Amino acid sequence: MQAIKSKNTRPELLVRRVLHRMGYRYRVHARDLPGKPDIAFRRRKKVIFVHGCFWHSHTEPGCRNALKPKTNAGYWTDKLTKTRARDEAALRALEQAGWHALVIWECELHHENELATRLNDFLRDAEP
Ligand SMILES: [Zn+2]
């Protein structure tokens, strides 16, 4: 298990590939936005986070990727709680600044067609 949250993870690259294929243009790793979203669509004011289920404590009951390690349990609980609090604060800050955010979990990437539909639904410009 990697000890550092890395950029350009496999799930992130998959989402970017699907977006690219659909013809969307985006920026990656928007450092000036709260939470440094993985993918940003500035004109649309929309951002996407691709979250690893373990690092970001996916709470979906069916998710097996989020299981906590049994060794060093206190350390991990503390670390993951902080990550989760940071994620929530970032989403709130983005929302307050008028951005729309979509969180995609690592375990949701198995069906590329479903993913493409979700991305399209999220990115489609809303009717006034
Ligand atoms: Zn998950």
Side-chain angles (χ1 to χ4, degrees):
M1 193 169 297
Q2 262 178 298
I4 297 165
K5 187 197 173 228
S6 55
K7 298 257 171 232
N8 300 316
T9 55
R10 202 178 56 81
E12 196 182 317
L13 291 174
L14 172 67
V15 173
R16 275 156 57 179
R17 198 173 67 224
V18 172
L19 286 168
H20 185 77
R21 207 170 52 209
M22 294 191 297
Y24 285 111
R25 289 168 155 245
Y26 50 84
R27 299 282 298 271
V28 297
H29 307 143
R31 290 186 175 77
D32 57 321
L33 294 175
K36 302 186 183 70
D38 298 310
I39 301 166
F41 303 84
R42 291 180 185 271
R43 190 178 55 78
R44 295 180 160 86
K45 274 207 129 182
K46 289 175 181 178
V47 294
I48 296 176
F49 291 94
V50 185
H51 278 351
C53 297
F54 172 73
W55 288 108
H56 297 271
S57 309
H58 194 196
T59 50
E60 204 61 43
C63 179
R64 290 166 169 270
N65 299 333
L67 292 176
K68 307 260 184 305
K70 291 199 170 67
T71 51
N72 272 328
Y75 166 80
W76 284 111
T77 301
D78 185 49
K79 193 172 179 62
L80 297 174
T81 301
K82 281 180 185 152
T83 300
R84 197 173 172 77
R86 257 201 317 272
D87 289 346
E88 283 166 8
L91 288 176
R92 273 197 306 275
L94 282 163
E95 199 179 313
Q96 276 162 15
W99 288 79
H100 297 275
L102 174 70
V103 176
I104 294 175
W105 294 94
E106 170 190 3
C107 64
E108 298 170 338
L109 297 174
H110 301 303
H111 304 286
E112 258 188 64
N113 289 341
E114 280 172 32
L115 174 65
T117 306
R118 251 183 102 194
L119 291 170
N120 251 328
D121 287 348
F122 174 67
L123 292 171
R124 206 167 36 205
D125 289 316
E127 297 297 323

